[in-house]
Amino acid sequence: MTAATTAPASTRRERTGWYFYDWANSAFSTTVITVFLGPFLTSVTEQAAGCALGADDCDGRVHPLGITIAAGSYFPYLVSLSVLLTVFVLPVMGAIADRAERKKPLLATAAFIGAGATVAMAFVTGERYLLGGLLFIIANIAFGASVVVYNSFLPRLAGPDERDKVSSRGWALGYLGGGVLLLINLAAVTALSVDGDDQRTLDLARWSIVSAGVWWGAFTLLPLRWLREHPATEVADAAARAGNVLVDGFRQLGHTIRSMRAYPLTLSFLGAYLIYNDGIQTVISLASQFGTEELHLEQSALIITILIVQFLAFGGALLLGGLATRIGARKTVLIALALWLGVILAAFWLPEGEPVPFMLLGVGIGLVMGGSQALSRSLFSQLIPQGREGEYYGFYEISDKGTSWLGPLAFGLVFQLTNSYRIGIVSLVVFFVVGGILLALVPMRRAIVAAGNTPPRLL
């Protein structure tokens, strides 16, 4: 029996350890990226630009590396820069992971660098916006690199018929962990804030960011303890013997790009995922802006909605994961994309100034968000040639993070032409329709066999 048809020998303890890395790193994506870092770093940058804390309509400028930019543009530019660097780093990290005899040290290095940079945000005080920007770039790149290594464990932990369930449990636990820490931080900020004391609020935001780094680093110890190093495949073992792992990782990047053309069906799935996931990421990233600018909702309503999404995504990932065991992962993802269409169309009709309908929209997002992402990850794992999990997940993570400019660009252009956030949101329908059609056209069973793997019973 070949390696492609042998079910991996993993234990419940090992899988639990794998789940807990999602629990660990989701603190960064939720508490830091989604809620606190943008407003916090913008406030620090405005102070450096000579604006008083809490000033409205500040038009100050800062000059990082001699470049003059508006204080309010600093954080978005940082995000763009980190994405650009990530495009180069993640595939190389994946190639290195496939060639390394042990993956856990790579996971530990990336995770602890990211967690350490997040904890170091404690020193971003006063006008230290440059330090904050540097730490964010390091943390964000390390986060993506660690996820590449983490995802590459999945084919070693579950056979073809179990992979959807394992992936869904990881996503579910991640949303739960991110939601728990966010709830703790929001409760602390609410209880300790003082009306009119903007500096105190800023300090509370900084320590909330630091707590995410501590959470990330501390809970990473569990997967490092419970995961096992599985024997390398023949492909990876031969590559590891060929030379220096780091040098070969860079060399392999070009080879991987060329060799992916031999798996056109895998590329077809990746293209479909790129499109519909871009729509998902855009809805997530613009939901708060839509609620604030178009629906004129209070900040408290937005915070409650974020928590609703986080905790319901836990149940949604498990629910869709269970459905996938009955009808197959591809069909379940297509159903999820149809539900995403319903969410977008419902957003168009939301009444202004009423928080409850917006929260109900958050319920819908939470139920479909986790499952659609978890099952996409497990589907892609079936399409990767043996021994190249890290390389391919490096490109998969790029399609998740590095190309999420398409949706915001479409939204921005439509808004510029129509001056309507509602029409801008509806314009995202095209991502789910086109992505869903392309996914439906991929012959999954043939694609899995072409990659040298055994198809699961249900697709």
Side-chain angles (χ1 to χ4, degrees), residues 181-192:
L181 181 63
L182 179 60
L183 180 60
I184 293 171
N185 281 321
L186 290 175
V189 170
T190 302
L192 300 176

Side-chain angles (χ1 to χ4, degrees), residues 93-114:
M93 183 65 169
I96 292 172
D98 285 338
R99 275 144 187 77
E101 294 183 3
R102 301 174 62 208
K103 291 185 179 183
K104 288 203 297 183
L106 289 174
L107 178 63
T109 299
F112 290 141
I113 287 175

Side-chain angles (χ1 to χ4, degrees), residues 49-278:
C51 303
L53 189 61
D56 295 326
D57 301 324
C58 175
D59 60 353
R61 298 287 189 269
V62 289
H63 310 278
L65 304 178
I67 303 171
T68 300
I69 62 173
S73 298
Y74 181 60
F75 181 67
Y77 287 158
L78 284 176
V79 173
S80 299
L81 178 59
S82 70
V83 164
L84 178 63
L85 295 175
T86 295
V87 167
F88 294 100
V89 172
L90 298 195
V92 174
M93 183 65 169
I96 292 172
D98 285 338
R99 275 144 187 77
E101 294 183 3
R102 301 174 62 208
K103 291 185 179 183
K104 288 203 297 183
L106 289 174
L107 178 63
T109 299
F112 290 141
I113 287 175
T118 307
V119 171
M121 286 285 184
F123 299 104
V124 182
T125 57
E127 301 178 0
R128 297 176 179 173
Y129 75 101
L130 287 176
L131 175 62
L134 177 62
L135 291 173
F136 164 68
I137 289 174
I138 293 172
N140 207 33
I141 293 174
F143 172 81
S146 72
V147 171
V148 169
V149 181
Y150 163 71
N151 283 341
S152 71
F153 276 93
L154 178 58
R156 302 283 180 262
L157 298 177
D161 291 310
E162 297 179 297
R163 217 165 284 172
D164 296 332
K165 179 174 66 176
V166 171
S167 182
S168 296
R169 287 178 177 176
W171 272 100
L173 198 63
Y175 280 118
L176 183 61
V180 167
L181 181 63
L182 179 60
L183 180 60
I184 293 171
N185 281 321
L186 290 175
V189 170
T190 302
L192 300 176
S193 293
V194 176
D195 289 340
D197 190 345
D198 294 323
Q199 183 60 54
R200 184 180 182 88
T201 301
L202 193 65
D203 291 339
L204 289 170
R206 183 174 68 255
W207 289 111
S208 295
I209 293 170
V210 170
S211 74
V214 174
W215 179 286
W216 183 3
F219 282 107
T220 295
L221 296 175
L222 294 178
L224 293 178
R225 180 175 178 82
W226 293 343
L227 281 171
R228 292 186 298 130
E229 300 285 4
H230 287 263
T233 64
E234 293 181 5
V235 173
D237 189 49
R241 291 194 302 267
N244 182 275
V245 169
L246 179 61
V247 174
D248 286 348
F250 280 93
R251 289 175 178 169
Q252 182 61 24
L253 176 59
H255 176 70
T256 301
I257 294 174
R258 293 189 298 271
S259 66
M260 287 180 77
R261 291 180 295 182
Y263 304 99
L265 297 179
T266 298
L267 290 178
S268 296
F269 174 88
L270 193 59
Y273 170 78
L274 182 156
I275 293 172
Y276 71 71
N277 189 64
D278 203 276

Side-chain angles (χ1 to χ4, degrees), residues 268-291:
S268 296
F269 174 88
L270 193 59
Y273 170 78
L274 182 156
I275 293 172
Y276 71 71
N277 189 64
D278 203 276
I280 293 173
Q281 297 302 321
T282 304
V283 172
I284 294 171
S285 63
L286 295 177
S288 293
Q289 183 180 1
F290 179 76

